Amino acid sequence: QLQASGGGLVQAGGSLRLSCTASGRSFSSGTMAWFRQAPGKEREFVAAIRGNGGGMKHYADAVKGRFTISRDNAKNTVYLQMSGLKPEDTAVYYCAGRVNVAIITLMTQAHAYSSWGQGTLVTVSS
């Protein structure tokens, strides 16, 4: 089970940090990711981070250099630090988890994830 939080309303150029806390003993070994879905659009990949201490990260081009994904295995939590926010970042953000994987295509495809949080709304005003 995943519980996402940290969304809110922010002005363009501002920052937010999303958190996703997981229950279960396998958190540290799994790949975790953030996806987002804007109104009228399909869910899209944002960022992912591998488990098992490797910590390999992958980002969507749209957020590279502005967003940072990280994890604290002691707290069973994955974070998404968002800075330089733009109105087009407005969306419901979902965290997701799956068995650890290093193949980029599997890290970025929503259907490849088995666990999902409930979503947290991020609204960026211009």
Side-chain angles (χ1 to χ4, degrees):
Q1 280 70 33
L2 303 175
Q3 182 72 33
S5 62
L9 174 64
V10 63
Q11 288 187 332
S15 299
L16 277 177
R17 188 178 78 160
L18 306 183
S19 300
C20 175
T21 301
S23 58
R25 294 174 294 176
S26 62
F27 173 82
S28 63
S29 63
T31 292
M32 300 296 296
W34 289 95
F35 289 78
R36 67 186 182 186
Q37 188 166 17
K41 295 188 177 181
E42 293 186 353
R43 192 169 298 190
E44 65 175 2
F45 170 77
V46 175
I49 183 169
R50 290 196 71 222
N52 279 340
M56 186 186 81
K57 303 174 185 179
H58 184 68
Y59 297 93
D61 288 343
V63 307
K64 202 171 294 184
R66 300 187 298 122
F67 291 10
T68 301
I69 189 171
S70 62
R71 64 193 300 161
D72 184 338
N73 290 334
K75 296 182 178 179
N76 276 11
T77 300
V78 61
Y79 303 99
L80 185 68
Q81 179 67 48
M82 306 184 293
S83 59
L85 283 162
K86 305 175 182 180
E88 51 263 43
D89 294 318
T90 294
V92 176
Y93 284 71
Y94 299 89
C95 60
R98 59 153 293 144
V99 172
N100 211 25
V101 65
I103 302 172
I104 297 299
T105 53
L106 291 179
M107 294 177 76
T108 61
Q109 298 301 313
H111 67 80
Y113 286 80
S114 55
S115 298
W116 288 87
Q118 84 287 5
T120 184
L121 177 63
V122 173
T123 303
V124 184
S125 63
S126 57

